[in-house]
Amino acid sequence: MINVLVADDELPAVEELAFLLGRDDRIGAIHRASSGAEALRTLETESVDAVFLDIHMPALSGLDIARAISRSSNPPAVVFVTADEDCALEAFDLAAIDYLLKPLRAERLSRSVDRISELIKEGTPAPEMITVDLGSTTRMIRRDDVSYVQAQGDYARLHTAEASYLIRVPLSDLEQKWADAGFIRIHRSYLIALNHVGHLKLSATGPSVTVAGAELPISRRHLPSVRDKLHSTRIRPQG
């Protein structure tokens, strides 16, 4: 069971998040704090695996709390919950494992609990984060949320379940850097994450692979290596 602390200076926000977390069978004790000082006192007296912090609280902000607990020998996982997108870079500099935007969605919160579960397993490495720009806003996304990458000139478009993001990195560079993370080249225009593959299809119009619901072409040159990789992960071709 995962014991958590919810800290927000607005009581309705505390109760809403506590309610949503309480519906998850993986969550144990739920501690509440309505100020940064109260949050730190709770962390001193209670066993907490993860903290859900509002960023903008009077006196001690969520960022201040994260800085304070980062100095402990065994800090809890940190998730920021905020209506402000502008603090994402600073949040991830403090090793936050997630950044939730209000209003909260239950399915998005569940994925955050997934990440906490992964992190507290012994030996699980911290997730690789990627900086992406959305207009004037900078966000951080997890590499393991990327299902496939599409070449667009000197840029690459990262596709996730929620959206796609354009970064100024050639696909060939990502192919080399992400090979050890389970990404393989299937076409001059596509790089895919093996753990997001649905099935391989062989047809008269050419081979393809389904990744997160998208059917992507496989070039003849890449087909042998793709089949070998998918065979090792027990993905079988369909006629």
Side-chain angles (χ1 to χ4, degrees):
M1 302 295 284
I2 302 170
N3 297 327
V4 301
L5 167 65
V6 176
D8 196 309
D9 62 312
E10 297 182 2
L11 185 58
V14 172
E15 293 304 325
E16 178 191 14
L17 181 50
F19 171 75
L20 292 173
L21 287 168
R23 296 167 60 184
D24 194 314
D25 293 338
R26 296 167 293 179
I27 299 298
I30 302 174
H31 304 283
R32 296 164 171 82
S34 57
S35 69
E38 185 180 0
L40 289 178
R41 288 195 297 270
T42 302
L43 289 168
E44 290 175 356
T45 59
E46 303 292 344
S47 176
V48 174
D49 301 304
V51 292
F52 290 79
L53 300 172
D54 179 39
I55 287 182
H56 299 294
M57 292 187 289
L60 285 175
S61 70
L63 295 172
D64 293 329
I65 298 169
R67 290 189 194 97
I69 64 179
S70 68
R71 295 190 286 268
S72 64
S73 58
N74 187 28
V78 173
V79 176
F80 288 106
V81 184
T82 179
D84 183 2
E85 293 188 4
D86 294 337
C87 295
L89 281 177
E90 189 172 2
F92 286 110
D93 281 344
L94 293 169
I97 68 164
D98 212 347
Y99 194 89
L100 303 180
L101 291 175
K102 299 177 181 177
L104 292 173
R105 293 183 292 113
E107 63 273 18
R108 183 64 181 84
L109 180 61
S110 180
R111 292 211 306 275
S112 190
V113 177
D114 290 341
R115 295 174 181 181
I116 296 168
S117 298
E118 293 170 9
L119 189 66
I120 63 178
K121 291 177 182 176
E122 186 174 357
T124 300
E128 178 79 16
M129 306 303 297
I130 306 160
T131 304
V132 297
D133 293 324
L134 288 175
S136 60
T137 300
T138 299
R139 287 191 59 188
M140 301 291 286
I141 64 170
R142 286 166 53 117
R143 182 174 62 185
D144 55 18
D145 282 343
V146 177
S147 55
Y148 67 96
V149 187
Q150 183 178 9
Q152 293 191 346
D154 292 333
Y155 292 75
R157 182 167 294 279
L158 312 180
H159 291 264
T160 72
E162 294 185 332
S164 67
Y165 308 92
L166 198 63
I167 61 173
R168 193 168 186 174
V169 180
L171 194 66
S172 56
D173 288 0
L174 292 182
E175 179 184 5
Q176 295 179 10
K177 293 178 181 178
W178 291 6
D180 292 340
F183 285 80
I184 63 169
R185 190 73 169 261
I186 64 167
H187 188 276
R188 66 182 180 181
S189 298
Y190 293 103
L191 184 71
I192 65 170
L194 286 170
N195 63 341
H196 285 272
V197 171
H199 61 264
L200 171 66
K201 182 179 179 182
L202 303 178
S203 68
T205 57
S208 64
V209 65
T210 300
V211 182
E215 187 171 341
L216 307 176
I218 303 173
S219 68
R220 296 292 181 182
R221 182 167 68 90
H222 288 98
L223 182 57
S225 61
V226 173
R227 293 187 71 165
D228 288 344
K229 286 286 188 180
L230 295 182
H231 180 79
S232 66
T233 58
R234 301 184 183 278
I235 301 293
R236 297 290 186 265
Q238 293 187 354

